[in-house]
Amino acid sequence: MSASTVSKAEGIYAKAGSLSSERRWALWTAYASLIFAAIIFLAPPVYMFVTSLKGSAEVANMTGNPWLVRNPTLENYTTLLSNRPFLKFFLNSAIITVCVVAITMVISILAAFALARMRFWGSQFLATGVFLTYLIPDTLLFIPLYQIVGGLGLLNSIWGLVLVYPTLTVPFCTWIMIGYFASIPKELDEAALIDGATWPQMLLKIFIPVAMPGIIAATIFAFTVSWAAFVYPTAFVTTPDQMPLTIGVVSQLVRADTFAWGQIMAGALLAALPPVIIYAFLMDYYIAGLTAGATKG
């Protein structure tokens, strides 16, 4: 073997070692960043869970380590689950969420299909305007919406919330669906039109089955927003029997300057359980839908 060949081989090995070292440092940096982010994001729910296992006396004791439970108990959970107002809050949230998700998906799918595939004058401008409406803060909308809901006689009613929640969910869900419908090859609808299919038939038999990941992503978003909304129910609902879970727990477990911290934390964890379960099983569809909506259209 010649000297030049040996030197080339040594150079290749040195370069490979350098790349391996760089890759190792990149992995260590990535792992360190992920661990740090996990600690930051998991600290609040872990602390909530720890507090929910404490009795009132232990919560009031300020001398011990707040992250440790000396006498764990499920009393806070059993008290809430046997409390009729809490179960009513949960039922109200379920009714509101199901109705809002159904309304949102019907409007979003029809609007997105029209804007993405049925090209007409101003469709691009209208599609952009739909998404821009999502950027308007809730705090600017609830005052005029309060007057509208009051004029319809729906204040202090879950149906008033069913009416106003779609103003939060429809714009973003429509934007997601526009991106997903736009990513579907145009040859599919052109072939369907040649075969004599109507636009509704194309939507039901071609676009909805193909765009199911995007529909699931939009459904998860609508569910999360309607389940966790706080500003609108705080403004529109004052009677306990019509309150959803987000404000019902706070209103019933906070009395003047007395906070039932154990039950508040237990109620917050129970309220967060449905979205956590949904995200755990459908996270891949949610990411796929958001990715398509962000890169197409």
Side-chain angles (χ1 to χ4, degrees):
M1 183 179 293
S2 64
S4 60
T5 303
V6 173
S7 62
K8 288 181 180 180
E10 291 176 348
I12 292 173
Y13 290 142
K15 186 176 181 180
S18 176
L19 290 176
S20 177
S21 177
E22 291 179 359
R23 179 177 175 82
R24 190 181 303 110
W25 277 107
L27 288 175
W28 278 108
T29 304
Y31 284 131
S33 301
L34 289 173
I35 293 173
F36 178 75
I39 293 174
I40 295 298
F41 286 107
L42 291 179
V46 169
Y47 183 78
M48 291 167 60
F49 178 71
V50 169
T51 305
S52 68
L53 297 178
K54 296 180 180 181
S56 300
E58 188 172 352
V59 173
N61 184 9
M62 304 299 294
T63 59
N65 189 337
W67 292 90
L68 298 179
V69 183
R70 295 178 178 81
N71 300 303
T73 178
L74 296 177
E75 180 182 359
N76 295 317
Y77 292 95
T78 57
T79 301
L80 284 179
L81 294 176
S82 61
N83 190 352
R84 287 182 60 86
F86 179 83
L87 299 179
K88 179 64 174 176
F89 300 151
F90 204 97
L91 178 62
N92 290 341
S93 291
I95 294 174
I96 294 169
T97 300
V98 170
C99 293
V100 171
V101 169
I103 294 171
T104 299
M105 295 314 302
V106 170
I107 296 175
S108 299
I109 290 175
L110 294 176
F113 181 69
L115 294 173
R117 308 305 272 195
M118 302 172 65
R119 296 296 182 179
F120 54 89
W121 184 85
S123 60
Q124 291 295 324
F125 177 78
L126 183 58
T128 303
V130 167
F131 176 68
L132 291 178
T133 58
Y134 173 72
L135 303 179
I136 301 176
D138 306 352
T139 52
L140 296 180
L141 292 175
F142 81 88
I143 295 178
L145 287 175
Y146 184 90
Q147 295 180 333
I148 295 174
V149 173
L152 296 175
L154 294 177
L155 289 176
N156 293 325
S157 171
I158 62 174
W159 304 114
L161 300 179
V162 171
L163 178 65
V164 300
Y165 279 7
T167 62
L168 302 174
T169 57
V170 168
F172 190 76
C173 291
T174 302
W175 179 69
I176 293 176
M177 296 310 305
I178 288 175
Y180 223 96
F181 284 154
S183 68
I184 297 175
K186 293 185 178 180
E187 289 78 10
L188 289 177
D189 45 320
E190 291 174 354
L193 288 174
I194 292 174
D195 292 338
T198 62
W199 287 106
Q201 289 175 333
M202 290 170 51
L203 174 63
L204 294 175
K205 296 182 179 181
I206 298 177
F207 282 85
I208 289 181
V210 174
M212 190 55 64
I215 294 175
I216 294 175
T219 302
I220 293 174
F221 175 82
F223 173 86
T224 304
V225 171
S226 55
W227 183 269
F230 189 82
V231 174
Y232 283 173
T234 302
F236 299 151
V237 179
T238 57
T239 54
D241 63 320
Q242 299 294 316
M243 288 181 177
L245 197 58
T246 49
I247 64 171
V249 171
V250 177
S251 65
Q252 297 302 305
L253 298 180
V254 177
R255 300 294 184 182
D257 59 346
T258 302
F259 295 79
W261 286 116
Q263 294 185 24
I264 291 175
M265 297 302 177
L269 288 174
L270 291 175
L273 190 60
V276 169
I277 294 175
I278 289 178
Y279 276 99
F281 287 100
L282 301 176
M283 176 60 72
D284 292 340
Y285 292 102
Y286 186 65
I287 296 174
L290 289 181
T291 302
T295 58
K296 297 290 184 179

